[in-house]
């Protein structure tokens, strides 16, 4: 007995030892973990087709980019390029002398992400859109950024030093969003909780050669109304989510009101925003028939098939986010389909509705309990202009970074600036974004309907944009019911009766067949097994 | 120290744990969500709303119709195939059977995507313009294509087990070929029909990947409906899921899916 006890004690001690040593190991010098939750395909993942692999040769003629890379990451740039997350780990280790590991996961919609957070999944950094940032902040689920994060004097605060003044203003003024108060009665400001990542508009990607080349004129004439125009019936797509499609339906329904707003008025943007964020019963009842018309007229509700349908000619018009538009335009120009098959190159255009459209932002926020130091370091790292270029190039969206020395202007000029010897060029003004008098010379087409126009929209476009507000619980319920009414096929009462009767008839037939005509729900069956054995061999029992 | 006796019952423990955590608890969670409101109080509002809203009832009925059409078409295609294969004297008939089942080895999302591209090709280059917006046709087509093996296999196995001497007996007694088919083959293959119907009917009510990709997301079946609700209103989503569960239960009971008798054995895959 005693011997046994000694053995078990020794065993217990032996089992505990490794646990203790592991605990000790975590104390200092261990690996920090940063849990990042981002949109799918929303960061430079390395490999071919990236900025470092494809463009650097031409872009970095004086070798300064390579030198910067070597200095920052502590290692020369390899031939195969590099994923930005790996570079972050290198940089972090160099700078803080601490190993870091990024646990990177992705989501498909803001609502999916929100559900994950509410269910208690823990992350250090999230990348929701504008309205979702407001929702998370209003529900007190976010950590504020440190004040030192916004200190411009610190040369290592890359975000605040490089962010575009236009974006900074939008974040500081909550960009026309309604101010809400937290529990202490203080207004909730975006800028306390979020650092920008990407931004853009929504509009139509269209194939200018469709309808014998008259589609551009039709679009100009109908604007939002193109969604319900019979001329493009079955050749246009809407988004498969309630927020974007409801927004578009508001545009269709109130187009005339929107166009008649005085664009010079001081409260123009506020009034525009109010129209695009209306969720009252009257608005919903007016928008519902419009949504039904849209559903009838469109080819599909889509989330990401629109790009390939556009390129292979199935549809003529695709309601898209500007970054996806850039991607589709690039894809069509390269003459490849998404699967890499080669087709004939074609040029697509991007159109922003005159009556006003959506201006959106995706920003980095830290949920409660996040590792703030690592999270803010990550945001700062991504805000280095050289890294912003890489991300922007990879995903097609527009970075919020303009660059301390306007590095992003070089990038825009490099990608979209006039070619040597080009004839029809215009000066493209980007002063609002860079905060100083700046412009680039570009092809007229680039400046009015192509990638440049989509990726760096001119101020004139920005001035007629509304940011989406978040819906409170009641509004959200109303909108979702509306959406389910639109999506579902509402049958007439007689149709339901006919179908139900048919189904019941089939069911009755099956029941009759199954029970061979006699329905004996209540009679207990005799235990067949016993009888069987007795029949076979009466002597066995 | 006495070791716990190892009995055959011990082997059941992993399955019981699995059933509790992955079947029973989730069902209870759905039940809980269906009958609570957003403040987690017990409420019947979802229940009342569901049965007073024509949209939701229509969607259920609509899915039923799509599933029924899919099942009938699948049966119409699969029955002759299974009959011919089971009765043929071909030496390599298992090769033909394998060819029918082969697509099941490839992920169905890939196959549905391939069909989507095929339809696109037909409508843009093949001049079949009507295809582009024939969403219901394409949805049913995709479902039939996807679920056909599930219909063929049980039919084939039940028909294969029919004793050929029964056919001879039937012929000896003077029955014509059609009478033999109608009086012998059809009744004896009924368990296979039932299990095939169950396996096609139920998934085609909820498989919204097919309706999204081929129906251009303009065909809303109940699976998609539930998915949409779970984006923002778990309580109503659970209620729809619960109603669907009842419908599924009833149809499984009707088609004899719960039978453990000799007749159904082998046919229930």
């Amino acid at each position: 007995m005693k011997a046994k006890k000694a053995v078990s004690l020794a065993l217990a001690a032996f089992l505990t030892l490794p646990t203790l040593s592991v605990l000790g190991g975590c104390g200092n010098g261990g690996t920090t973990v940063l849990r990042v939750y981002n949109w799918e395909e929303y960061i430079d993942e390395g490999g071919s087709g990236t900025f470092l692999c494809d463009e650097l040769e031409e872009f970095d003629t004086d070798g300064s980019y390579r030198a910067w890379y070597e200095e920052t990451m502590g290692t020369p740039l390899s031939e195969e390029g590099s994923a930005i997350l790996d570079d972050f780990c290198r940089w972090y280790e160099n700078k803080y002398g601490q190993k870091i590991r990024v646990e990177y996961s992705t989501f498909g919609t803001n609502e999916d992400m929100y559900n994950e957070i509410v269910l208690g999944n823990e992350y250090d950094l999230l990348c929701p859109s504008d309205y979702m940032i407001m929702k998370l902040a209003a529900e007190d689920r976010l950590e504020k950024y440190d004040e030192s994060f916004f200190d411009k004097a610190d040369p290592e605060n890359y975000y605040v030093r490089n962010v575009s003044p236009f974006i900074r203003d939008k974040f500081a003024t909550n960009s026309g969003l309604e101010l809400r108060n937290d529990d202490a009665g203080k207004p909730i400001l975006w800028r306390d909780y979020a650092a920008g990542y990407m931004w853009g508009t929504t509009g139509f990607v269209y194939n200018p050669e469709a309808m014998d080349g008259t589609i551009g004129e039709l679009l100009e004439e109908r604007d939002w109304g193109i969604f319900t125009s019979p001329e493009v019936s079955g050749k246009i797509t809407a988004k498969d989510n309630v927020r974007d499609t409801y927004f578009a339906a508001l545009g269709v329904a109130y187009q005339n009101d929107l166009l008649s707003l005085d664009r010079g008025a001081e409260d123009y943007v506020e009034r525009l925003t109010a129209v695009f964020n209306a969720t009252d019963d009257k608005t919903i009842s007016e928008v519902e028939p419009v949504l039904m018309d849209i559903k009838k007229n469109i080819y599909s509700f889509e989330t990401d098939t629109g790009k390939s349908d556009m390129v292979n000619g199935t549809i003529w018009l695709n309601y898209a986010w500007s970054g996806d538009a850039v991607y589709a335009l690039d894809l069509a120009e390269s003459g490849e389909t998404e699967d890499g098959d080669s087709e004939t190159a074609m040029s697509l255009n991007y159109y922003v509705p005159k009556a006003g459209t959506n201006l959106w932002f995706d920003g980095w926020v830290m949920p409660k309990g996040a590792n703030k130091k690592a999270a803010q370091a990550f945001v700062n790292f991504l805000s280095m202009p050289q890294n912003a270029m890489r991300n922007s190039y990879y995903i097609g969206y527009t970075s919020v970074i303009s660059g301390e020395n306007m590095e992003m202007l070089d990038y825009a000029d490099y990608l979209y600036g006039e070619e040597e010897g080009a004839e029809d060029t215009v000066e493209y003004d980007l002063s609002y974004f860079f905060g100083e008098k700046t412009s680039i010379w570009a092809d007229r087409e680039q400046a009015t309907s192509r990638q440049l126009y989509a990726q760096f929209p001119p101020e004139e476009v920005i001035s007629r944009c509304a940011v989406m507000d978040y819906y409170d619980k009641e509004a959200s319920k109303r909108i979702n019911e509306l959406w389910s009414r639109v999506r579902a096929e509402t049958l007439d009462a007689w149709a339901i009766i006919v179908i139900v009767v048919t189904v019941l008839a089939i069911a009755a037939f099956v029941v009759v067949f199954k029970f061979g005509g006699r329905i004996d729900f209540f009679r207990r069956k005799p235990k067949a097994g016993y009888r069987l054995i007795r029949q076979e061999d009466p002597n066995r029992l | 120290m006495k070791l716990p006796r190892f009995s055959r019952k011990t082997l059941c423990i992993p399955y019981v744990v699995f059933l509790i955590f992955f079947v029973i608890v989730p069902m209870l969670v759905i039940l809980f969500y269906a009958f609570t409101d957003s403040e987690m109080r017990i409420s019947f509002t979802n229940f009342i709303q569901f049965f007073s809203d024509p949209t939701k009832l229509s969607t259920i009925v609509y899915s039923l119709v799509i599933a029924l059409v899919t099942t009938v078409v699948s049966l119409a295609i699969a029955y002759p195939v299974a009959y011919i294969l089971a009765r043929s004297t071909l030496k390599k008939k298992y090769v033909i059977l394998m060819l029918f089942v082969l697509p099941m080895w490839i992920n169905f999302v890939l196959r549905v995507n391939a069909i989507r591209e095929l339809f696109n090709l037909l409508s843009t280059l093949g001049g079949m313009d009507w295809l582009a917006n024939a969403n219901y046709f394409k949805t049913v087509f995709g479902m039939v294509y996807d679920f056909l093996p599930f219909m063929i296999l049980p039919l084939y196995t039940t028909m294969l087990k029919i004793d050929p001497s029964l056919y001879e007996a039937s012929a000896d007694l003077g029955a014509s070929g059609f009478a033999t088919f109608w009086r012998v083959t059809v009744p004896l293959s009924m368990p296979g029909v039932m299990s095939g119907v169950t396996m096609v009917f139920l998934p085609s009510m909820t498989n919204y990947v097919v309706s999204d990709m081929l129906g251009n997301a303009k065909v809303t079946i109940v699976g998609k409906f539930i998915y949409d609700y779970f984006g923002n209103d778990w309580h109503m989503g659970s209620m729809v899921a619960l109603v669907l569960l009842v419908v599924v239960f009833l149809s499984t009971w009707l088609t004899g899916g719960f039978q453990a008798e000799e007749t159904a054995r082998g046919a229930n895959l």
Side-chain angles (χ1 to χ4, degrees):
Chain A
M1 192 69 194
K2 253 186 183 165
K4 247 184 186 171
K5 204 168 189 179
V7 168
S8 56
L9 263 177
L11 209 78
F14 179 72
L15 285 174
T16 356
L17 264 175
T19 337
L20 283 175
S21 61
V22 167
L23 282 175
C26 282
N28 46 20
T31 310
T32 320
V33 176
L34 179 70
R35 294 154 302 179
V36 180
Y37 200 31
N38 194 7
W39 293 88
E40 285 155 12
E41 302 256 325
Y42 217 45
I43 201 162
D44 183 346
E45 288 165 12
S48 63
T50 58
F51 186 68
L52 294 185
C53 283
D54 285 11
E55 304 288 344
L56 206 54
E57 194 93 353
E58 251 178 276
F59 179 75
D60 187 31
T61 41
D62 59 352
S64 59
Y65 191 103
R66 282 164 200 279
W68 165 85
Y69 184 92
E70 191 165 348
E71 191 193 329
T72 316
M73 316 301 171
T75 161
L77 178 59
S78 91
E79 281 292 308
E80 295 98 50
S82 180
I84 213 155
L85 290 177
D86 296 339
D87 282 342
F88 169 70
C89 294
R90 291 190 193 113
W91 172 78
Y92 193 88
E93 210 179 317
N94 267 351
K95 192 163 148 84
Y96 298 100
Q98 206 176 18
K99 276 201 181 305
I100 192 162
R101 187 162 50 88
V102 181
E103 275 177 17
Y104 186 78
S105 39
T106 58
F107 57 86
T109 68
N110 279 307
E111 285 67 28
D112 285 352
M113 182 224 58
Y114 178 79
N115 280 341
E116 289 282 302
I117 299 302
V118 172
L119 283 176
N121 265 322
E122 286 177 354
Y123 298 99
D124 296 309
L125 207 54
L126 315 169
C127 189
S129 304
D130 33 43
Y131 73 92
M132 191 50 80
I133 295 176
M134 279 308 287
K135 188 176 162 82
L136 289 169
E139 290 174 6
D140 196 25
R141 295 183 191 278
L142 300 181
E143 294 274 0
K144 284 188 181 176
Y145 276 84
D146 291 338
E147 268 179 35
S148 61
F149 181 81
F150 296 105
D151 179 11
K152 238 184 161 173
D154 186 345
E156 290 184 346
N157 279 337
Y158 299 102
Y159 175 73
V160 74
R161 291 172 77 93
N162 287 307
V163 70
S164 152
F166 161 71
I167 301 289
R168 194 186 309 126
D169 289 351
K170 284 278 174 195
F171 273 51
T173 57
N174 268 29
S175 70
L177 284 176
E178 202 181 313
L179 278 181
R180 286 189 174 75
N181 294 332
D182 62 9
D183 293 339
K186 280 189 185 155
I188 296 168
L189 289 171
W190 258 30
R191 59 153 180 237
D192 293 339
Y193 294 97
Y197 183 43
M198 296 284 160
W199 67 284
T201 55
T202 54
F204 295 98
V205 178
Y206 70 99
N207 181 353
E209 278 155 35
M211 301 172 65
D212 299 327
T214 59
I215 194 165
E217 290 158 35
L218 188 76
L219 199 54
E220 290 272 343
E221 181 198 322
R222 303 280 165 82
D223 213 44
W224 279 110
I226 197 81
F227 261 125
T228 50
S229 297
E231 291 92 334
V232 296
S233 174
K235 294 288 182 190
I236 180 170
T237 60
K239 284 278 164 232
D240 192 9
N241 74 69
V242 57
R243 295 221 50 131
D244 286 300
T245 304
Y246 182 70
F247 190 96
L250 284 165
V252 178
Y254 300 113
Q255 181 165 343
N256 293 334
D257 298 355
L258 288 167
L259 284 172
S260 65
L261 289 178
D262 175 17
R263 292 202 56 183
E266 213 164 88
D267 61 348
Y268 169 72
V269 174
E270 273 155 57
R271 293 175 67 179
L272 190 78
T273 309
V275 173
F276 277 119
N277 282 304
T279 54
D280 53 289
D281 286 328
K282 184 174 160 284
T283 313
I284 287 183
S285 61
E286 281 170 10
V287 166
E288 187 165 346
V290 175
L291 273 170
M292 295 292 184
D293 287 347
I294 291 179
K295 184 187 174 186
K296 251 181 239 144
N297 205 43
I298 59 172
Y299 172 69
S300 74
F301 289 110
E302 55 88 33
T303 308
D304 48 24
T305 54
K307 287 172 267 185
S308 57
D309 282 344
M310 218 40 234
V311 174
N312 68 26
T314 310
I315 52 169
W316 298 336
L317 286 140
N318 174 217
Y319 183 58
W321 298 292
S322 52
D324 277 3
V326 172
Y327 183 88
L329 264 56
D330 284 346
L331 196 67
E333 227 165 64
S334 73
E336 284 179 4
T337 63
E338 248 185 326
D339 320 314
D341 303 335
S342 139
E343 279 188 13
T344 43
M346 64 202 274
S347 54
L348 302 178
N349 285 354
Y350 183 66
Y351 176 81
V352 180
K354 284 194 292 276
T357 192
N358 178 216
L359 177 70
W360 53 265
F361 308 94
D362 290 336
W364 294 110
V365 298
M366 298 177 287
K368 281 267 188 280
N371 176 350
K372 283 175 76 172
K373 183 193 161 204
Q376 294 179 58
F378 188 76
V379 175
N380 270 326
F381 179 76
L382 291 187
S383 302
M384 297 176 191
Q386 292 86 346
N387 289 331
M389 287 173 204
R390 289 167 65 181
N391 282 331
S392 194
Y393 185 82
Y394 190 85
I395 64 179
Y397 284 83
T398 321
S399 172
V400 299
I401 301 300
S402 63
E404 229 175 330
N405 307 311
M406 296 198 275
E407 287 90 342
M408 290 308 273
L409 190 70
D410 300 337
Y411 171 79
D413 193 31
Y414 165 75
L415 281 183
Y416 307 121
E418 61 179 335
E419 306 279 323
E420 243 172 272
E423 278 168 14
D424 192 14
T425 56
V426 288
E427 190 176 7
Y428 194 73
D429 188 32
L430 284 169
S431 311
Y432 82 94
F433 186 70
F434 289 95
E436 282 173 49
K437 184 93 192 94
T438 41
S439 61
I440 54 178
W441 283 87
D443 274 4
R444 184 178 297 280
E445 275 202 335
Q446 276 292 349
T448 52
S449 58
R450 306 297 304 278
Q451 283 98 328
L452 177 61
Y453 181 73
Q455 198 162 34
F456 295 94
E459 193 171 10
E460 176 269 327
V461 166
I462 299 298
S463 69
R464 53 182 153 97
C465 281
V467 177
M468 274 192 222
D469 208 342
Y470 85 86
Y471 308 145
D472 57 30
K473 253 187 190 148
E474 286 305 305
S476 161
K477 195 151 181 100
R478 282 198 297 271
I479 300 285
N480 289 323
E481 288 301 319
L482 167 72
W483 186 237
S484 76
R485 283 199 296 277
V486 172
R487 294 300 305 277
E489 207 72 33
T490 314
L491 301 170
D492 295 333
W494 62 265
I496 294 186
I497 292 168
V498 168
I499 291 164
V500 167
V501 166
T502 323
V503 170
L504 285 180
I506 294 172
F509 173 77
V510 170
V511 168
V512 168
F513 173 82
K514 197 177 147 195
F515 296 100
R518 54 191 168 83
I519 300 188
D520 52 353
F521 286 109
F522 304 107
R523 199 189 306 159
R524 277 184 66 180
K525 284 182 184 168
K527 289 187 176 172
Y530 289 108
R531 230 178 355 184
L532 218 84
I533 292 167
R534 236 178 278 138
Q535 278 170 355
E536 269 174 8
D537 183 5
N539 299 326
R540 230 172 101 177
L541 284 173
Chain B
M1 219 163 80
K2 201 183 156 196
L3 275 169
R5 228 177 79 82
F6 184 82
S7 72
R8 237 192 293 179
K9 279 181 192 160
T10 326
L11 287 172
C12 295
I13 291 175
Y15 302 104
V16 172
V17 170
F18 175 85
L19 286 179
I20 289 176
F21 280 98
F22 293 100
V23 180
I24 306 207
V25 171
M27 295 255 218
L28 290 178
V29 172
I30 287 185
L31 198 68
F32 172 76
Y33 268 103
F35 287 102
T36 47
D37 60 16
S38 51
E39 260 85 59
M40 292 297 170
R41 284 177 309 227
I42 300 291
S43 103
F44 283 88
T45 36
N46 288 327
F47 186 78
I48 295 163
Q49 257 181 24
F50 183 92
F51 286 100
S52 57
D53 182 355
T55 314
K56 301 187 179 76
L57 289 176
S58 300
T59 309
I60 296 258
V61 171
Y62 216 85
S63 314
L64 267 176
V65 172
I66 287 186
L68 267 179
V69 173
T70 305
T71 313
V72 170
V73 174
S74 305
L75 188 62
I77 296 173
Y79 203 93
V81 172
Y83 183 71
I84 293 165
L85 277 181
R87 294 210 59 184
S88 83
T89 48
L90 271 175
K91 270 190 185 155
K92 306 268 174 177
K93 60 183 173 184
Y94 64 87
V95 175
I96 303 175
L97 184 73
M98 206 186 72
L99 285 178
F100 275 104
V101 181
L102 195 75
M104 274 190 352
W105 301 352
I106 300 162
N107 183 295
F108 93 97
V109 179
L110 292 178
R111 283 184 283 129
V112 171
N113 217 340
I115 294 200
R116 192 186 131 81
E117 292 303 320
L118 204 66
F119 276 135
N120 275 346
L121 207 69
L122 281 178
S123 62
T124 47
L125 300 178
M128 297 164 80
D129 286 338
W130 58 274
L131 259 178
N133 291 305
N135 297 319
Y136 298 104
F137 170 78
K138 288 194 286 187
T139 304
V140 171
F141 186 97
M143 293 218 187
V144 169
Y145 168 70
D146 198 31
F147 299 131
L148 198 59
F150 294 100
M151 191 62 106
I152 292 182
L153 268 185
L155 281 174
Y156 176 74
T157 46
T158 31
M159 286 188 197
L160 205 63
K161 277 192 296 183
I162 299 176
D163 194 338
S165 55
L166 290 175
Y167 299 124
E168 285 165 23
S170 170
D172 282 350
L173 293 169
S176 67
F178 178 76
T180 306
F181 173 77
W182 187 244
R183 293 280 182 81
V184 179
T185 315
V186 170
L188 284 177
S189 66
M190 229 37 191
V193 173
M194 288 304 179
S195 104
V197 164
T198 320
M199 283 196 309
V200 173
F201 183 76
L202 302 182
S204 49
M205 271 188 83
T206 49
N207 194 332
Y208 65 85
V209 175
V210 177
S211 65
D212 266 12
M213 287 172 94
L214 295 175
N216 289 332
K218 285 171 90 177
V219 177
T220 303
I221 59 173
V222 66
K224 175 77 177 175
F225 210 56
I226 296 173
Y227 172 81
D228 271 352
Y229 268 112
F230 269 87
N232 39 58
D233 184 357
W234 287 36
H235 304 279
M236 190 44 103
S238 301
M239 182 48 87
V240 183
L242 198 65
V243 172
L244 179 68
L245 208 67
V246 173
V247 172
V248 166
F249 181 87
L250 282 180
S251 49
T252 313
W253 177 74
L254 278 179
T255 50
F258 299 129
Q259 280 175 351
E261 289 163 22
E262 184 69 31
T263 45
R265 211 173 282 162
N268 279 334
L269 283 181

